[in-house]
């Protein structure tokens, strides 16, 4: 078993082992992060287009390292999803977001909503409706103040099943949004069946909205379609005043993006509520 061919193979095996070790180490790190409380939520404002008022926030998770640096969700959510750890991480995020909103409400900072992102595995977990009800009961926030965001591609993995699950969530009274809209391949027939309230227009269409006629046409058509179906539209990734004005012209309902604010740590989000929105 020690000929040259085998050597080649052994080298390959060794590389595979390193990758697997690395994965195991990261999985252990993620587990530890959860028990040590190393995850934090940042909150990005959602702004009413016509009113220019703060409507609420989207909770976005970060992994805070011991040196204070933050790891972006793109670097750990996929592994959390693969390993199933997303179940516990997602439930933590749901409860934490609800509790933060309730703290603000208790201070008199009312009429705000909180949006929480749902992964594919969370959506398929039969315990999800009970988890949502638990989070609402523990925090005491009214169901209509909580929204959940499901990406279009996750929603369309198994559209019939998605309809069932979303109906259960809708029965609780929470809001439901389709995230990254326009990047998946929704069938309009299913879109009509989904008990949703809102489409979130993906940032890729917003970025060049003033210069790319195709992007502008997609945004205009999506907004018209959504309004026809009785849905509101949130534009993601609004970075400039020109984009905000263009979306205003298309009667886009809500805007979110760096132009108004980056996602903020809890204390800064609270200050944003108090200080108000830029023009
Ligand atoms: P998403 O739900 O589409 O969130 C929007 C992302 O765009 C966020 O990235 C946000 O920080 C970023 N963003 C907001 N405004 C702008 C802008 O004007 N310009 C640009 N360039 N980017 C903007 P983030 O926080 O890194 O999150 C990335 C993704 O990770 C999210 O995409 C979401 O899919 C996922 N994610 C975040 N938090 C959670 C969570 O608690 N649970 C789950 N399952 N997924 C999460
Ligand atoms: Ca989202
Ligand atoms: Ca999105
Ligand atoms: Ca996205």
């Amino acid at each position: 078993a020690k000929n040259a061919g085998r050597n080649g193979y052994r080298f390959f095996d060794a590389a595979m082992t390193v990758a697997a070790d690395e994965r195991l180490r990261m999985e252990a790190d993620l587990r530890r992060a959860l028990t040590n409380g190393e995850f934090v939520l940042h909150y990005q404002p959602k702004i009413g287009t016509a009113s220019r008022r703060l409507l609420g926030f989207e909770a976005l998770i970060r992994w805070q390292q011991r040196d204070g640096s933050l790891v972006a969700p793109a670097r750990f959510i996929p592994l959390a999803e693969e390993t199933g750890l997303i179940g516990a991480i997602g439930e933590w995020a749901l409860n934490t977001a609800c509790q933060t909103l309730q703290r603000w409400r208790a201070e008199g900072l009312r009429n705000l909503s909180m949006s929480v992102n749902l992964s594919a595995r969370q959506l398929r977990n039969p315990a999800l409706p009970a988890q949502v009800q638990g989070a609402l009961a523990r925090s005491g926030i009214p169901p209509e103040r909580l929204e959940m965001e499901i990406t279009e591609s996750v929603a369309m993995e198994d559209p019939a099943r998605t309809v069932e699950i979303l109906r259960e969530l809708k029965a609780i009274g929470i809001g439901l949004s389709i995230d990254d809209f326009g990047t998946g391949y929704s069938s309009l027939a299913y879109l009509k069946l989904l008990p949703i309230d809102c489409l979130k227009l993906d940032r890729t269409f917003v970025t060049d909205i003033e210069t790319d006629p195709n992007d502008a046409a997609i945004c205009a058509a999506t907004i018209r379609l959504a309004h026809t179906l009785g849905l509101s539209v949130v534009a993601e990734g609004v970075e400039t005043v020109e984009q905000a004005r263009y979306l205003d012209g298309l009667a886009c309902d809500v805007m979110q993006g760096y132009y108004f604010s980056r996602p903020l740590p809890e204390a800064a989000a609270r200050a944003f509520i108090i200080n108000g929105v830029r023009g």
Side-chain angles (χ1 to χ4, degrees):
K2 297 233 160 157
N3 57 40
R6 285 278 169 178
N7 275 336
Y9 237 86
R10 271 218 306 273
F11 176 74
F12 184 64
D13 271 356
M16 295 284 286
T17 306
V18 170
D21 280 357
E22 173 83 15
R23 260 183 57 105
L24 278 176
R25 196 179 52 74
M26 264 207 68
E27 189 182 336
D29 282 353
L30 271 180
R31 242 176 245 288
R32 192 209 56 217
L34 193 60
T35 48
N36 289 3
E38 292 173 23
F39 293 114
V40 291
L41 294 180
H42 283 189
Y43 301 94
Q44 188 175 38
K46 290 187 174 185
I47 311 299
T49 305
S51 67
R52 286 296 200 270
R53 285 185 49 203
L54 174 66
L55 303 178
F57 293 88
E58 176 178 0
L60 294 156
I61 198 166
R62 279 97 183 80
W63 179 359
Q64 187 147 37
Q65 306 290 86
R66 270 172 274 213
D67 64 3
S69 64
L70 295 176
V71 181
R75 289 191 43 210
F76 63 88
I77 292 282
L79 183 65
E81 180 76 17
E82 260 179 69
T83 56
L85 277 169
I86 192 69
I89 295 172
E91 202 178 357
W92 172 86
L94 171 63
N95 280 294
T96 304
C98 287
Q99 280 154 16
T100 299
L101 184 64
Q102 186 48 39
R103 264 197 302 281
W104 291 336
R105 289 169 60 84
E107 284 185 65
L109 307 171
R110 291 178 167 269
N111 299 323
L112 297 169
S113 65
M114 183 62 79
S115 302
V116 175
N117 290 285
L118 269 186
S119 76
R121 206 191 266 254
Q122 283 177 281
L123 186 72
R124 289 191 301 260
N125 181 355
L128 178 65
Q131 288 178 1
V132 171
Q133 270 167 325
L136 292 170
R138 272 189 291 279
S139 62
I141 72 169
E144 63 272 18
R145 294 292 163 193
L146 176 64
E147 294 167 358
M148 304 205 105
E149 301 188 358
I150 302 111
T151 65
E152 183 185 21
S153 50
V154 166
M156 290 302 142
E157 269 168 23
D158 183 352
R161 178 92 185 91
T162 300
V163 171
E164 266 179 55
I165 299 163
L166 295 191
R167 282 200 183 131
E168 268 188 76
L169 292 178
K170 197 65 218 172
I172 298 171
I174 66 172
L176 296 172
S177 303
I178 297 297
D179 208 345
D180 300 351
F181 188 78
T183 59
Y185 300 90
S186 291
S187 129
L188 292 184
Y190 277 115
L191 196 58
K192 202 184 73 176
L193 283 179
L194 293 176
I196 53 173
D197 308 282
C198 172
L199 298 181
K200 294 192 76 176
L201 197 48
D202 194 70
R203 169 157 57 91
T204 53
F205 305 113
V206 173
T207 302
D208 297 321
I209 194 167
E210 312 143 83
T211 51
D212 185 332
N214 292 323
D215 286 344
I218 289 168
C219 290
T222 303
I223 292 165
R224 264 200 314 277
L225 167 72
H227 288 168
T228 304
L229 294 174
L231 307 175
S232 66
V233 180
V234 178
E236 304 189 312
V238 179
E239 294 185 349
T240 68
V241 66
E242 291 80 13
Q243 291 165 348
R245 288 206 191 103
Y246 199 102
L247 288 158
D248 205 350
L250 295 181
C252 180
D253 306 277
V254 180
M255 294 185 285
Q256 200 182 337
Y258 295 170
Y259 173 64
F260 297 100
S261 172
R262 289 184 177 255
L264 302 168
E266 183 180 334
R270 185 182 169 280
F272 190 97
I273 303 173
I274 292 163
N275 296 333
V277 181
R278 75 189 282 186

